[in-house]
């Protein structure tokens, strides 16, 4: 990170933050998808990398494709069909049980304080068998510290999405 990259400066603060952190870590997989279907297909390839137990942060702006990616992950784990995976924006946690993993899809968009986070008792969900897929978890330093994998999604135009798995 020598001098500032002008393309990063033109982008949102969010993107600049992601980029500065990504540079210090290992990118395990990187892909650019061109449709929701391609993002789902990419999600389907991740079962090996996401063998439980895992805490996964899904990072990206609203509409970046975080929930869409979970459709692929959950269907590949045979835990839910793509259509059954919907955003846990209001319910906060959706659980999908599969033969090889219990998936917990969590949306912290509406959770603002560490105290509110505590009421969700996420630690109780962390078993040998569980994969926690957390949207907006980067708001909480504790989750950033404890995460095993981060998946960062960035828009590239209307239907392009750059997806990076970062350890
Ligand atoms: P998030 O959970 O990050 O807020 P969603 O997965 O709910 O985002 O929504 C992503 C939206 O973007 C969906 O309407 C989807 O159809 C659309 N979309 C367009 N192109 C893509 C793509 N390449 N990957 C994922 N979603 C895409
Ligand atoms: Mg979502």
């Amino acid at each position: 990170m020598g001098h500032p990259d002008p393309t990063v400066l033109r982008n949102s603060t969010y993107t600049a933050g992601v980029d500065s952190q990504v540079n210090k870590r290992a990118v395990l997989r990187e892909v650019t998808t061109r449709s929701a279907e391609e993002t789902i297909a990419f999600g389907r390839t991740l079962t090996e990398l996401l063998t439980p137990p895992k805490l996964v942060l899904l990072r990206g702006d609203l509409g970046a494709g975080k929930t869409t990616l979970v459709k692929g992950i959950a269907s590949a784990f045979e835990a839910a069909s793509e259509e059954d995976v919907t955003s846990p924006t209001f319910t906060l946690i959706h659980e999908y049980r599969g033969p090889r993993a219990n998936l917990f899809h969590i949306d912290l968009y509406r959770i603002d304080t560490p105290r509110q986070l505590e009421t969700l008792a996420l630690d109780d969900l962390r078993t040998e068998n569980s994969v926690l897929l957390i949207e907006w978890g980067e708001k909480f330093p504790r989750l950033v510290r404890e995460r095993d994998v981060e998946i960062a999604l960035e828009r590239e135009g209307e239907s392009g999405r750059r997806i990076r798995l970062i350890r």
Side-chain angles (χ1 to χ4, degrees):
M1 298 300 288
H3 23 273
D5 176 348
T7 53
V8 169
L9 290 180
R10 269 201 303 278
N11 286 331
S12 66
T13 320
Y14 165 76
T15 307
V18 166
D19 278 358
S20 60
Q21 289 180 35
V22 161
N23 289 339
K24 295 178 207 132
R25 298 201 216 126
V27 177
L28 303 174
R29 302 274 293 276
E30 173 162 3
V31 71
T32 298
T33 64
R34 296 286 162 205
S35 66
E37 290 69 30
E38 281 187 26
T39 293
I40 292 170
F42 177 68
R44 284 179 160 279
T45 68
L46 301 179
T47 47
E48 293 286 317
L49 273 165
L50 300 183
T51 304
K54 288 282 183 303
L55 192 156
V56 182
L57 295 190
L58 299 169
R59 198 165 177 162
D61 291 331
L62 276 177
K66 303 179 292 297
T67 295
T68 301
L69 187 72
V70 173
K71 287 175 181 280
I73 295 169
S75 64
F77 271 109
E78 301 171 64
S81 65
E82 291 168 16
E83 309 78 57
D84 285 343
V85 174
T86 56
S87 178
T89 307
F90 298 100
T91 40
L92 304 181
I93 303 176
H94 286 169
E95 180 176 3
Y96 305 109
R97 286 175 183 267
R100 285 166 294 149
N102 291 341
L103 306 187
F104 294 94
H105 182 198
I106 298 157
D107 189 341
L108 301 181
Y109 189 71
R110 280 154 201 282
I111 300 297
D112 292 318
T113 66
R115 197 184 155 81
Q116 284 178 308
L117 181 65
E118 260 176 58
T119 65
L120 294 181
L122 297 187
D123 285 338
D124 295 350
L125 308 179
R126 298 185 65 184
T127 66
E128 273 306 293
N129 211 14
S130 72
V131 179
L132 274 57
L133 301 159
I134 308 180
E135 302 191 23
W136 302 103
E138 72 276 10
K139 294 200 288 188
F140 300 98
R142 180 168 88 87
L143 294 177
V144 173
R145 277 196 306 275
E146 293 177 4
R147 61 139 184 55
D148 299 298
V149 180
E150 175 174 310
I151 307 181
L153 300 94
E154 290 164 67
R155 272 179 190 274
E156 282 185 358
E158 188 54 43
S159 58
R161 299 292 189 276
R162 181 187 187 201
I163 307 175
R164 280 175 295 178
L165 259 81
I166 303 144
R167 179 152 51 203

